[in-house]
């Protein structure tokens, strides 16, 4: 696929960097009575992107799980160009569902006025999946071939072809506190670290160093794709500050979750930490620790199927002036994730992230909704072993039309949960690595400013985006546009406005 090269006085490609200059516009608003005063603020920004992706490895927490084994198999299969027979004919390994590997963005138009599109990975150098090393931890000691067989996600032909390599991959012993997950998860836990929380953090840090050294890595991303935990209590003296969190770990406080131990270990080793599950791993003390160490964190909860569709449908309805009044999201699934979510305290974590996704869109339209008014919104998840990873999502959306009309549409969405999640895990790692190579400064300043420790740019990939400040955006296309426009800024292209006035005015030469 083509890479783009921007020919502009505002873009310079040196051996090490892409140096770009772009005009950045915001608008300050002030409400006075029935009027909103809007003051545009335009300034020139200089963007510096290091061109060489770093030698990167990802350490998956929950490596032996459905998502972890599926991502690992995808990395191996794509690297090998694996082809296999199915009843529909030959298939070959691909990255379908990955934004960085299979999505494009419009970069302009050609002599005939036709749009020209480029792969996202062709705008700025991104880490290639073939170069990504993988390791991780799991409470189950199964090697990844045995785990893939247990997980029942991959075609048998694929499992057979990859078994020799998967068999060599064995998860490291895990930090695990079963009280934070469903009791039914204890039965697989034969690979658990002993000792206090402080000793476990120390061991996890040694694991990260060991992986980094063994693979000669420059960057390690720690990504939680283990079970959903219950929310941890956040309270002064426990985890409200970095020092209090570290002291609580030293005191072996039982309210510090296993996932927070991984996050602390990652941050102390200078790694990006990504929370692919809904629990509040990234407590305030964790966020302060990440800022102190200048590392990035991303959360919460992968956005893969039912919620992703919801963030599109509700955005479409509200932005079309149709008023969603009832949203009922039901799904059943039969994988281990579903088994773990069958406990009330773990389901509650998932319910929170699946329900909050419409808040910003509802709040954006006071014409439709009075202050504090929201659609009825219900989330139901049931564990039905027979369907395995092939989650069935059924949604009913009801909205109000003019003259008291009602519109109801029902969606049946059979997701293969892990085949949807694995490409997003790759995107999270690839974009997280990219974010460590970019800096911004007002034109003329000396210092480039990196992304904030809380990587809000990756909101597109999670259900409940953490942001350092400002409004949480859940609208999927606004989130995607943010990534697209940041990539464009790195090569001196302004934001995609979609105006294309050259095709809309009486004269194309305005
Ligand atoms: N489409 C999706 O699959 C999807 C979407 C959004 C979020 N998620 C979240 O991703 C996570 C993983 O999903 P999955 O389908 O792979 O689940 P899974 O149960 O198949 O995998 C989780 C793995 O984590 C291991 N584990 C549990 N606690 C651990 C610990 N403390 N340390 C190390 N390993 C531990 C388990 O043994 C298991 O192998 C879940 O929290 C799920 O809610 C999944
Ligand atoms: O991402 P999404 O499809 O909206 O939500 C999914 C839930 O519907 C499913 O029950 C759960 O097991 C997955 O982890 C995922 O969170």
């Amino acid at each position: 696929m083509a890479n783009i090269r921007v020919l502009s006085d505002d873009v310079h490609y040196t051996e090490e960097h892409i140096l770009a200059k772009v005009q950045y516009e915001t608008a300050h608003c002030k409400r006075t009575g029935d009027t909103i005063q809007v003051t545009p603020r335009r300034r020139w920004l200089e963007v510096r992107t290091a061109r060489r992706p770093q030698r990167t490895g990802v350490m998956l927490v929950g490596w032996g799980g459905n998502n972890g084994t599926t991502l690992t198999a995808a990395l191996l299969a794509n690297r090998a160009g694996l082809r296999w027979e199915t009843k529909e004919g030959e298939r070959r390994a691909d990255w379908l569902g990955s934004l960085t590997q299979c999505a494009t963005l419009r970069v302009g138009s050609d002599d005939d006025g036709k749009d020209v599109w480029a792969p996202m990975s062709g705008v700025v150098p991104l880490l290639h999946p073939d170069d990504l090393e993988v390791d991780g931890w799991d409470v189950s000691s199964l090697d990844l071939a045995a785990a893939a067989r247990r997980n029942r996600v991959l075609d048998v032909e694929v499992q057979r072809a990859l078994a020799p390599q998967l068999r060599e991959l064995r998860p490291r012993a895990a930090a695990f506190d079963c009280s934070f997950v469903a009791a039914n998860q204890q039965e697989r836990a034969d690979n658990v670290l002993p000792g206090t929380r402080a000793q476990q953090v120390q061991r996890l840090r040694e694991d990260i160093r060991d992986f980094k050294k063994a693979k000669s890595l420059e960057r390690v991303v720690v990504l939680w794709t283990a079970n959903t935990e219950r929310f941890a209590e956040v309270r002064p003296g426990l985890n409200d500050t970095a020092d209090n969190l570290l002291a609580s770990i030293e005191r072996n406080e039982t309210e510090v979750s296993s996932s927070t131990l991984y996050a602390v270990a990652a941050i102390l080793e200078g790694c990006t930490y990504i929370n692919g599950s809904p629990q509040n791993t990234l407590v305030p003390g964790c966020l302060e620790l990440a800022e102190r160490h200048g590392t990035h964190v991303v959360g919460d909860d992968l956005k893969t199927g039912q919620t992703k569709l919801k963030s599109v449908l509700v955005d479409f309805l509200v932005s079309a002036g149709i008023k969603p009044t009832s949203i009922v999201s039901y799904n059943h699934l039969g994988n281990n994730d579903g088994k773990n979510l069958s406990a009330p305290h773990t389901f509650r974590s998932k319910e929170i992230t699946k329900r909050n996704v419409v808040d910003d869109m509802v709040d954006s339209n006071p014409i439709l909704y009075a202050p504090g008014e929201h659609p009825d919104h219900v989330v139901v998840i049931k564990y039905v072993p027979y369907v395995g990873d092939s989650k069935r999502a059924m949604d009913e959306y009801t909205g109000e039309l003019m003259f008291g009309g009602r519109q109801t549409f029902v969606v049946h969405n059979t997701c293969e949960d892990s085949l949807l999640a694995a490409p997003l895990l790759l995107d999270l790692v690839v974009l997280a690595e990219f974010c460590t190579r970019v800096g911004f400064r007002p034109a003329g300043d000396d210092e480039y400013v990196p992304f904030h420790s809380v990587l809000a740019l990756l909101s597109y990939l999670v259900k409940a985006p953490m942001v350092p400040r400002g409004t949480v955006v859940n609208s999927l296309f606004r989130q995607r546009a943010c990534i697209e426009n940041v990539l464009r800024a790195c090569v001196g292209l302004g934001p995609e406005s979609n105006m294309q006035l050259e095709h809309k005015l009486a004269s194309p030469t305005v």
Side-chain angles (χ1 to χ4, degrees), residues 336-357:
N336 188 59
D337 182 24
K339 185 176 179 182
N340 177 59
L341 289 171
S342 63
H345 59 288
T346 49
F347 165 71
R348 180 61 187 138
S349 298
K350 188 65 75 172
E351 183 184 35
I352 290 168
T353 56
K354 285 177 72 77
R355 285 198 57 214
N356 292 353
V357 73

Side-chain angles (χ1 to χ4, degrees), residues 301-308 331 333 337 341 350 354 381 391 417 463:
D301 202 6
L302 300 174
K303 183 164 62 185
T304 55
Q306 188 174 45
T307 304
K308 198 165 189 175
N331 78 65
L333 70 169
D337 182 24
L341 289 171
K350 188 65 75 172
K354 285 177 72 77
I381 299 176
K391 179 189 70 203
D417 251 6
K463 293 192 189 69

Side-chain angles (χ1 to χ4, degrees), residues 1 20 36 96 161 204-205 254 277 290 303 308 316 336 362 384 400 411 431 448 450 468:
M1 287 295 276
I36 300 173
L96 292 179
L204 298 177
R205 294 184 65 180
T254 55
S277 295
K303 183 164 62 185
K308 198 165 189 175
F316 135 57
N336 188 59
V362 169
V384 179
E400 286 183 356
V411 178
L431 291 171
Y448 285 95

